[in-house]
Amino acid sequence: MEQKILVADDETEIADLVEVYLKNEGYSVIKCHNGTDALKCARENEISLAVLDVMMPDIDGFALLQRLRTEYVFPIIMLTAKVEDMDKITGLTLGADDYITKPFNPLELVARVKTQLRRYTRYNTADPRREVTEIDVRGLHINNSCHKCTLNGEEITLTPIEFNILWYLCRHKGSVVSSEELFEQVWGEKFLDSNNTVMAHIARLREKLHEPPRRPKYVKTVWGVGYTIEG
């Protein structure tokens, strides 16, 4: 099936450039120049991945990201002209899967799109070779075959990254998983000491699991070591 990429950026030149490079890789591209049109396009099309600019008229990228995350789990990459770590953490905490800072190399963006689509497809497709496809931890039930998570019978909507983090921790319940291991296993990239990506996604995951910040029931921090889900 043809994969459709939603590109939302009010800078026409950038949107056109991204479109050219993505089309050269065989993707179908839907361009929008404001948040309202982007939201409408997402609801009217089978979107595989979205690339959202942070600074847009009417609905900014962060607000659009939040609204999309209430309805969809497809990967979202944020484009930002800001280099502050806080802006990157904000995007990741709100549910973005990746970010890239302007100005950027279009080939790098294409590579990140491919990585996110590969990851999304892998973790949304049942793999009959897996010995374990379902895990239950004190009312938290996660099913890797159908990419579904419930908490005390209530379905929890997770992004592919959030699901993968939770699945990995559940598979290793009772053990402490370092931020480095978690990042390299989930993102498939080398971990850097200054990387706050894991922390931001853990915070978002805890929020969705209705975890009290100081006394989480499921995803616990072992200070100076990493994260654990007790068996």
Side-chain angles (χ1 to χ4, degrees), residues 1-7 18-30 48-49 51 109-118 121:
M1 186 177 75
E2 186 179 47
Q3 292 178 304
K4 293 182 181 178
I5 311 296
L6 172 63
V7 177
V18 171
E19 179 185 31
V20 168
Y21 276 82
L22 289 175
K23 280 191 170 182
N24 283 343
E25 296 297 323
Y27 299 113
S28 173
V29 178
I30 301 174
S48 300
L49 179 145
V51 179
L109 177 60
V110 170
R112 293 187 183 223
V113 165
K114 289 181 176 180
T115 297
Q116 291 299 328
L117 287 173
R118 264 198 316 270
T121 302

Side-chain angles (χ1 to χ4, degrees), residues 1-214:
M1 186 177 75
E2 186 179 47
Q3 292 178 304
K4 293 182 181 178
I5 311 296
L6 172 63
V7 177
D9 196 315
D10 63 328
E11 296 184 67
T12 306
E13 297 83 359
I14 291 179
D16 290 346
L17 181 66
V18 171
E19 179 185 31
V20 168
Y21 276 82
L22 289 175
K23 280 191 170 182
N24 283 343
E25 296 297 323
Y27 299 113
S28 173
V29 178
I30 301 174
K31 291 185 299 182
C32 298
H33 301 299
N34 60 68
T36 301
D37 288 346
L39 191 60
K40 184 172 182 288
C41 286
R43 289 170 174 165
E44 294 177 350
N45 295 273
E46 189 84 20
I47 300 299
S48 300
L49 179 145
V51 179
L52 310 179
D53 182 35
V54 170
M55 304 300 290
M56 286 191 294
D58 69 354
I59 304 176
D60 68 39
F62 290 143
L64 177 58
L65 168 64
Q66 285 182 290
R67 293 175 71 169
L68 288 174
R69 275 291 169 249
T70 64
E71 302 178 45
Y72 308 103
V73 297
F74 53 70
I76 296 176
I77 298 174
M78 302 301 295
L79 293 180
T80 175
K82 300 179 179 180
V83 296
E84 291 86 354
D85 284 341
M86 203 61 235
D87 291 303
K88 299 172 183 177
I89 292 172
T90 297
L92 294 170
T93 302
L94 292 175
D97 297 281
D98 200 357
Y99 61 83
I100 189 166
T101 304
K102 296 179 180 179
F104 59 87
N105 184 329
L107 292 174
E108 180 185 356
L109 177 60
V110 170
R112 293 187 183 223
V113 165
K114 289 181 176 180
T115 297
Q116 291 299 328
L117 287 173
R118 264 198 316 270
R119 185 178 295 128
Y120 179 68
T121 302
R122 186 170 77 235
Y123 287 101
N124 280 275
T125 303
D127 184 353
R129 295 171 296 177
R130 292 181 182 270
E131 294 181 6
V132 179
T133 58
E134 294 184 68
I135 299 175
D136 191 278
V137 182
R138 304 187 308 280
L140 174 64
H141 185 84
I142 183 167
N143 187 314
N144 194 48
S145 294
C146 60
H147 198 271
K148 185 176 180 180
C149 176
T150 59
L151 179 60
N152 298 321
E154 175 191 352
E155 185 167 354
I156 306 296
T157 302
L158 302 177
T159 66
I161 290 290
E162 292 163 354
F163 183 91
N164 195 15
I165 289 172
L166 186 59
W167 177 254
Y168 193 82
L169 289 174
C170 285
R171 282 293 303 270
H172 296 81
K173 63 181 178 180
S175 301
V176 180
V177 179
S178 68
S179 294
E180 178 178 358
E181 178 184 350
L182 199 54
F183 184 85
E184 293 183 354
Q185 289 296 321
V186 172
W187 278 265
E189 300 171 11
K190 185 172 177 58
F191 180 82
L192 301 176
D193 290 340
S194 60
N195 197 321
N196 293 310
T197 302
V198 173
M199 181 180 66
H201 278 83
I202 290 288
R204 178 65 174 167
L205 184 57
R206 283 174 171 160
E207 182 182 330
K208 290 188 175 183
L209 295 175
H210 314 299
E211 295 261 60
R214 295 185 180 277

